[in-house]
Amino acid sequence: MSGQSIQTVLGFDYGTRQIGVAVGQTVTAQARELTTLKAQNGVPNWEQVAQLLDEWQPDAVVVGLPLNMDGSRSEMCERAEKFARRLEGRFNVTYFMHDERLTTFEAKGQRLQAGDYAKNFRERPVDAIAAALLLQGWLEHFVQH
């Protein structure tokens, strides 16, 4: 798929309990949060994923690659890549992996800066915000190249 044919992109912040989802456009190079999907041991409700893909008709998806701070691979990298391959296999969608280091930390910071002092981020998840941040990073990289 050429860079020119990619316009709408969905971003996924993969996790074992929750998966944040965001949508972005290469034309504007902007991303925004959509939703957080529940997952059981990293497995989402695939029907919900199918509904999102059907609604947004993305040209590609971006899945966060949870590297360690030193750039080495974390234990979760393999699981995130497996999730990306499943998206490709089930829905015939092109995927890209993108470094997601510090996106959850930054998402929590944004939530606190906005005055939301939720005691528990599980009650008020930040996964969709983290997905938007990782997708924003991918879009900025994509537009520059």
Side-chain angles (χ1 to χ4, degrees):
M1 177 173 285
S2 75
Q4 298 297 336
S5 62
I6 297 176
Q7 291 183 5
T8 302
V9 186
L10 286 183
F12 292 89
D13 179 40
Y14 176 80
T16 57
R17 286 189 222 116
Q18 298 179 139
I19 300 169
V21 186
V23 64
Q25 299 289 328
T26 58
V27 175
T28 61
Q30 294 197 338
R32 67 178 177 86
E33 62 189 90
L34 276 182
T35 190
T36 300
L37 303 174
K38 295 287 184 206
Q40 290 192 344
N41 197 24
V43 180
N45 176 331
W46 289 109
E47 286 181 28
Q48 289 178 320
V49 174
Q51 289 171 350
L52 285 167
L53 292 169
D54 189 50
E55 178 180 351
W56 291 98
Q57 297 288 308
D59 301 301
V61 297
V62 176
V63 176
L65 188 62
L67 298 170
N68 291 316
M69 289 309 295
D70 65 1
S72 64
R73 292 175 60 83
S74 74
E75 292 178 21
M76 283 293 288
C77 283
E78 187 174 324
R79 292 187 77 168
E81 289 171 330
K82 183 177 181 180
F83 172 73
R85 289 190 305 272
R86 283 191 173 158
L87 287 170
E88 178 186 50
R90 283 177 178 256
F91 304 107
N92 193 30
V93 63
T94 300
Y95 74 88
F96 298 92
M97 302 300 297
H98 187 73
D99 182 356
E100 68 167 42
R101 281 179 284 183
L102 294 177
T103 55
T104 300
F105 178 79
E106 187 177 338
K108 288 177 180 179
Q110 282 186 12
R111 178 70 59 79
L112 292 172
Q113 219 172 17
D116 185 346
Y117 296 102
K119 290 187 171 93
N120 186 342
F121 286 109
R122 284 191 184 157
E123 291 173 16
R124 303 260 333 226
V126 296
D127 305 87
I129 298 169
L133 291 168
L134 83 87
L135 185 54
Q136 185 68 47
W138 182 86
L139 287 165
E140 289 167 3
H141 178 79
F142 178 85
V143 169
Q144 290 175 357
H145 294 90

